[in-house]
Amino acid sequence: MSETNQPSAELKALDRLVGTWAVTGGAEGTVRYEWMPGRFFLSQHVELTQFGEPIRGLEMIGNLRPFGEPTGSDVMSRYYDSMGNTFDYVYELTGDKLTIWAGAKGSPAFFEGAFSADGTTMTGDWVYPGGGGYSSTMTRI
């Protein structure tokens, strides 16, 4: 096998998210990120209220590696919530800027945020095609 069995550098960069964050803005509550053993997947546990509705969710973030295929280059995720939704995303962290594309990289629906210099907050916006979206701030607790 020519490929090393190590998490990608792009996935390892998301270590900055590990911990519990208070979320304010268009959705309110907490999110918690933690590594699965092996550090190939980062899980996000979501407890938010949005538009007056409680939302509980679980997101698994990592590089795809289907049976017998090489590891994909993009950091992908699938989110599952208490409303029965499943959403797919692509994570891209460049310096202090995190972009979360809805569906595929380059999508017109995305989140773009920036970490503060000390890494204790992330402030950004969810952007939706045709307008809409909302601002969001995460503060490490």
Side-chain angles (χ1 to χ4, degrees), residues 18-65:
V18 171
T20 303
W21 301 81
V23 177
T24 57
E28 307 269 332
T30 61
V31 296
R32 178 174 46 89
Y33 291 88
E34 64 185 2
W35 289 109
M36 282 185 57
R39 297 174 69 98
F40 286 96
F41 297 97
L42 183 64
S43 63
Q44 179 186 193
H45 302 266
V46 175
E47 293 186 15
L48 298 172
T49 299
Q50 188 172 31
F51 309 119
E53 295 292 324
I55 303 292
R56 302 297 176 263
L58 174 64
E59 183 177 21
M60 297 304 296
I61 306 162
N63 296 91
L64 299 181
R65 186 169 55 189

Side-chain angles (χ1 to χ4, degrees), residues 84-99:
N85 296 303
T86 59
F87 301 127
D88 294 329
Y89 297 100
V90 177
Y91 278 67
E92 185 175 43
L93 180 61
T94 306
D96 289 332
K97 184 178 99 173
L98 177 65
T99 305

Side-chain angles (χ1 to χ4, degrees), residues 3-140:
E3 131 180 83
T4 61
N5 195 22
Q6 295 291 317
S8 71
E10 294 80 8
L11 179 60
K12 288 179 184 178
L14 297 180
D15 193 58
R16 297 173 75 175
L17 292 169
V18 171
T20 303
W21 301 81
V23 177
T24 57
E28 307 269 332
T30 61
V31 296
R32 178 174 46 89
Y33 291 88
E34 64 185 2
W35 289 109
M36 282 185 57
R39 297 174 69 98
F40 286 96
F41 297 97
L42 183 64
S43 63
Q44 179 186 193
H45 302 266
V46 175
E47 293 186 15
L48 298 172
T49 299
Q50 188 172 31
F51 309 119
E53 295 292 324
I55 303 292
R56 302 297 176 263
L58 174 64
E59 183 177 21
M60 297 304 296
I61 306 162
N63 296 91
L64 299 181
R65 186 169 55 189
F67 290 115
E69 295 182 27
T71 301
S73 59
D74 288 337
V75 175
M76 309 286 293
S77 78
R78 174 152 290 173
Y79 170 81
Y80 305 87
D81 74 18
S82 56
M83 306 292 284
N85 296 303
T86 59
F87 301 127
D88 294 329
Y89 297 100
V90 177
Y91 278 67
E92 185 175 43
L93 180 61
T94 306
D96 289 332
K97 184 178 99 173
L98 177 65
T99 305
I100 305 171
W101 304 100
K105 196 179 281 189
S107 166
F110 60 91
F111 171 81
E112 187 172 278
F115 283 99
S116 61
D118 64 4
T120 61
T121 61
M122 173 176 287
T123 303
D125 296 290
W126 283 98
V127 176
Y128 301 137
Y134 58 89
S135 294
S136 180
T137 298
M138 294 194 327
T139 304
R140 191 178 296 277

